[in-house]
Amino acid sequence: MKKLLIIGGVAGGASAAARARRLNEEVEIIMFERGEYISFANCGLPYHIGGDIASRDALVLQTPQSFKARFNVDVRLFNEVVAIDKDAKTVTVKNLQSGEQYVESYDALVLSPGAAPVTPPIPGLQTPRTFSLRNLPDMDRIIASIKDNQPKHATVVGGGFIGLEMVEALRELGIAVTLLELSPQVMAPVDLEMANMVHQEIVDHGVDLRLNTGLAAVEQVEAGLQLSLNNGDSLNTELLISAIGVKPETKLAVDAGLAIGALGGIAVDDRMRTSDPAIYAVGDAIEEVDLITGEKALIPLAGPANRQGRIAANNIFGADEAYSKTQGTAICRVFSLAVASTGMNEKRLSRAGMAFEKIYVHPASHASYFPGAHPVSLKLLFNPVDGKILGAQAVGRDGIDKRIDVLAVAIRAGMTVFDLQQMELTYAPPFGSAKDVLNQAGFVAGNLINGEIRICHSDELEAPSADQVLLDVRNPGELAKLGTIGEAINIPVDQLRDRLDELPKDKEILIFCQVGLRGNVAYRMLANHGFRAKNLTGGFKTYQAVKAAF
C-alpha cells in the first residue's frame, strides 16, 4: 500500500484519514474536498444560526493545515473528483479555482461524498431567499440573508432534524415561523403519539404548524415570497428553508460502474467494500444494514459514518473487521423538549410483519420529591414472546438521552425486558430514582409477558364493545381538570376495594388512570376478585397523545 485517496471529509472521510495515518506512517494520503472545509460540525450549524454556539470558528474542527500537521494528510480543498477509472486505479480531479484537471493514481480509494438535500421539482424554488442547510457556506448565506433582509416571517419545509432545529433557531431570533410537513407528523423515527407531544411543544412556542401540508409553488414578490400550498392555501413569507430530506450522492459511483443498491445508496459489504475490492465507501452515501431486521436502510447519521470510516481504514491496512449494522439511535432538541429513539418504531415493525407489543410509562426523570423533576414519556417495543427489546422512543425535558442511550446498548446486546428489571443504574435524588424509568418499563413489559397483567391500548377505549365497561380510577378533581374517556365509571383506586359491587362481573373492565400506575393496582385488585379486566398502558396521558389533533 503506497497511496490512499479519500473523496470527501467531514465524519466518514476525515475519520478514515486519521485512522489510516495512525495505522501507517509511510502511506501517502490525499483527501479531496470540492468545498472550502474538510472537517466541520455540520450538526451544529442550526445552533450557530440561533445563537447557542456563539463562535463560528467552533464549528471548524480541522483545517488543511492542522490535518497536515497532525496526520500528514495532503488535504486539497476546492478540488472535485469528477471521474474514477477503477480499471486503471486513477481519479480525475478538477481544481475548481484554476479550472485545471489532473489525474491521481491510488492503491485504495475511500468514497465519502455524503448526502445532498432533496430538491423537489417545485416551481420557483430556486430564489435568493430560499436556502437549504448542508455546510458552512449554506449557514453563512442564511445568516447574511437574515441580517440583510430582517425577515419578520420565515417558513421551514420539512419536520425532520434540520427542519426542527431551524424552527427553534429562527424563533430564538424572534422571527415568526410556519412549519410545513407533508406527512401527519414531524420527526419520522418516532410514532405519531410520541410526535404529538412534540407538536404541542412546537405550537406552545408560537409556531404555525401545518401538518399534511406540502409546498406546491414559490413566487418571488416585492415583499419576499408567496408560497402556494398543496391544499390550495397561500402563504406570504420572507425566508424559506427547505429541509425536506437528503439523498445519497452517488454520481461518481454510478459513473464508475460501482454497484448501487435498491434504495439508491452505494452498495457495500460489511467490510465497507464496494463492488470493486480497491474502493471503499462510508457515510450517508451508502446503504447500511438495519440491526433489527437485517434489511438494507439509508440512515444518514454522524455516529455510524465515523465508525464506518474507521473500519474502512482498518480493513485497507490488513484487518478483517465487520461493521456491526446500524440501529438508528438519534435525538433532537425541540425548544424545551428532547425527543429520541433507537431501534425500530411501530410503523416499521408493522411494515416488516414482525410481532411486537408496546407499553408506555411516564415516570419522573429523577426522584419526584427533589426539585426539577420532569416526566419522561417512554414507549418500549418488544417481542411479545421472549421480551427481546426491538425499539424505544422517549420525549421529555430531562433524562431522555440517558434512557435512550441505555436502551440503545440493550438492543445492541440483544437484551430483553427482563434484563431491564435487573439493571442497576445510578441513583441519587438529583439524578434518578431507586427504581429507574427503565426498571419500571421492564416490570410493566415483563408482567405482561408473564400474564400477570392484561393491557389495552387507546383505540380499544375509544370504541369499547357492548361487553366492556370503562373504569376511571383517578380522583374526581383530576376528571374535572383533565376530562375523562366516554361514559367511564369513576371510582378512585383507594375506594375501589369497598365499591366492587358497583362494577358488573359479566363485562370486561377497561381500567385507566393518569399514567397507568394506579390502573395497575386497580387491575390486580379486580383480577384477584374474579373480574375480567385490562389496564390502559400509559394511562390517560398516552390516550391524550394518541388522540391529539394538530
Side-chain angles (χ1 to χ4, degrees):
M1 169 69 64
K2 296 181 179 179
K3 195 172 185 180
L4 169 63
L5 303 185
I6 299 173
I7 301 174
V10 197
S15 295
R19 178 63 174 170
R21 178 57 72 214
R22 288 195 294 270
L23 293 173
N24 189 298
E25 266 295 312
E26 305 302 321
V27 67
E28 180 182 6
I29 305 174
I30 304 173
M31 190 176 342
F32 303 99
E33 172 57 52
R34 66 189 173 195
E36 186 179 354
Y37 301 94
I38 191 64
S39 181
F40 62 92
N42 53 355
C43 294
L45 302 179
Y47 298 108
H48 179 59
I49 294 172
D52 285 307
I53 300 173
S55 172
R56 182 186 184 280
D57 292 343
L59 300 174
V60 181
L61 306 180
Q62 291 282 356
T63 65
Q65 293 76 24
S66 66
F67 226 74
K68 179 69 174 178
R70 178 164 296 183
F71 298 112
N72 191 23
V73 173
D74 179 4
V75 176
R76 301 182 185 178
L77 300 180
F78 300 112
N79 277 247
E80 181 177 10
V81 176
V82 294
I84 301 170
D85 185 336
K86 62 181 190 296
D87 296 324
K89 287 192 173 182
T90 62
V91 300
T92 301
V93 187
K94 181 178 181 180
N95 185 314
L96 298 178
Q97 293 176 313
S98 68
E100 170 200 3
Q101 289 199 1
Y102 60 96
V103 174
E104 288 282 359
S105 62
Y106 65 83
D107 295 300
L109 175 66
V110 176
L111 297 177
S112 181
V118 172
T119 307
I122 295 173
L125 190 60
Q126 304 299 328
T127 77
R129 294 199 184 197
T130 300
F131 304 91
S132 59
L133 183 59
R134 185 191 184 192
N135 52 37
L136 283 163
D138 290 340
M139 180 190 74
D140 293 338
R141 285 189 285 270
I142 293 171
I143 292 173
S145 179
I146 292 172
K147 181 179 179 181
D148 293 343
N149 298 309
Q150 296 291 305
K152 293 182 173 58
H153 184 274
T155 299
V156 176
V157 184
F161 293 97
I162 295 296
L164 292 174
E165 289 162 359
M166 278 305 304
V167 165
E168 181 179 349
L170 292 165
R171 290 297 293 137
E172 287 292 320
L173 296 174
I175 300 171
V177 180
T178 294
L179 174 58
L180 305 178
E181 171 53 56
L182 188 59
S183 77
Q185 68 169 84
V186 303
M187 195 68 177
V190 304
D191 292 311
L192 178 60
E193 70 278 19
M194 305 300 284
N196 275 338
M197 301 179 194
V198 181
H199 297 156
Q200 188 63 59
E201 181 77 2
I202 292 169
V203 171
D204 287 347
H205 280 80
V207 177
D208 174 20
L209 174 62
R210 304 193 189 188
L211 301 172
N212 300 297
T213 305
L215 180 62
V218 180
E219 182 182 355
Q220 192 162 353
V221 295
E222 185 176 349
L225 302 172
Q226 185 174 62
L227 310 182
S228 298
L229 309 182
N230 65 349
N231 59 7
D233 290 346
S234 64
L235 175 66
N236 292 319
T237 195
E238 297 158 90
L239 176 70
L240 180 63
I241 306 294
S242 178
I244 296 172
V246 296
K247 61 180 179 181
E249 285 220 4
T250 59
K251 186 178 187 307
L252 264 181
V254 170
D255 292 348
L258 299 176
I260 303 298
L263 300 178
I266 300 171
V268 295
D269 64 13
D270 60 1
R271 269 62 182 172
M272 311 316 301
R273 287 185 298 250
T274 68
S275 55
D276 183 291
I279 302 177
Y280 294 71
V282 300
D284 296 354
I286 70 166
E287 288 191 1
E288 307 174 45
V289 177
D290 184 89
L291 178 67
I292 306 295
T293 66
E295 297 175 343
K296 295 291 185 180
L298 298 173
I299 305 176
L301 294 171
N306 271 286
R307 296 195 299 278
Q308 292 157 10
R310 177 186 174 91
I311 288 171
N314 288 348
N315 290 329
I316 287 169
F317 289 97
D320 185 28
E321 183 177 349
Y323 177 68
S324 57
K325 306 177 183 177
T326 302
Q327 64 195 83
T329 305
I331 190 167
C332 184
R333 189 184 79 181
V334 185
F335 297 106
S336 299
L337 286 183
V339 51
S341 64
T342 188
M344 299 286 279
N345 59 32
E346 186 174 345
K347 295 169 290 193
R348 292 179 59 209
L349 286 167
S350 296
R351 285 198 299 268
M354 296 179 65
F356 69 92
E357 186 52 274
K358 59 184 178 182
I359 60 97
Y360 303 85
V361 293
H362 303 280
S365 55
H366 59 248
S368 58
Y369 57 82
F370 191 90
H374 296 284
V376 172
S377 292
L378 178 73
K379 178 177 184 176
L380 187 66
L381 298 150
F382 53 94
N383 184 294
V385 177
D386 62 14
K388 185 175 181 179
I389 303 166
L390 302 175
Q393 302 157 37
V395 177
R397 301 186 188 282
D398 179 52
I400 300 304
D401 53 345
K402 170 181 175 178
R403 273 65 186 214
I404 290 297
D405 282 345
V406 172
L407 287 168
V409 175
I411 290 173
R412 177 71 59 175
M415 295 171 72
T416 72
V417 300
F418 301 103
D419 295 312
L420 296 184
Q421 298 177 2
Q422 302 301 325
M423 277 187 172
E424 186 175 335
L425 303 172
T426 56
Y427 163 56
F431 303 105
S433 299
K435 185 165 65 176
D436 187 77
V437 174
L438 301 184
N439 299 134
Q440 293 189 42
F443 288 129
V444 175
N447 287 343
L448 175 61
I449 292 173
N450 288 336
E452 295 177 30
I453 190 169
R454 298 170 67 229
I455 65 170
C456 54
H457 296 290
S458 297
D459 290 342
E460 193 169 352
L461 274 73
E462 181 75 6
S465 70
D467 186 45
Q468 295 172 322
V469 63
L470 276 55
L471 173 63
D472 187 338
V473 296
R474 296 174 298 163
N475 295 321
E478 293 175 86
L479 275 66
K481 180 179 178 181
L482 301 171
T484 188
I485 304 173
E487 301 298 323
I489 300 168
N490 176 221
I491 305 177
V493 65
D494 293 337
Q495 301 176 20
L496 184 58
R497 187 174 285 105
D498 296 325
R499 296 174 60 182
L500 292 176
D501 57 355
E502 297 179 32
L503 297 174
K505 276 216 166 184
D506 60 342
K507 292 189 176 184
E508 184 175 57
I509 313 297
L510 303 183
I511 309 163
F512 65 96
C513 63
Q514 187 60 25
V515 297
L517 187 59
R518 286 172 289 176
N520 181 60
V521 174
Y523 172 86
R524 293 307 315 165
M525 196 183 303
L526 291 180
N528 287 334
H529 282 85
F531 288 87
R532 288 185 299 122
K534 292 179 182 176
N535 182 34
L536 175 63
T537 179
F540 188 68
K541 183 171 182 175
T542 297
Y543 176 87
Q544 287 181 304
V546 171
K547 298 303 175 183
F550 292 88

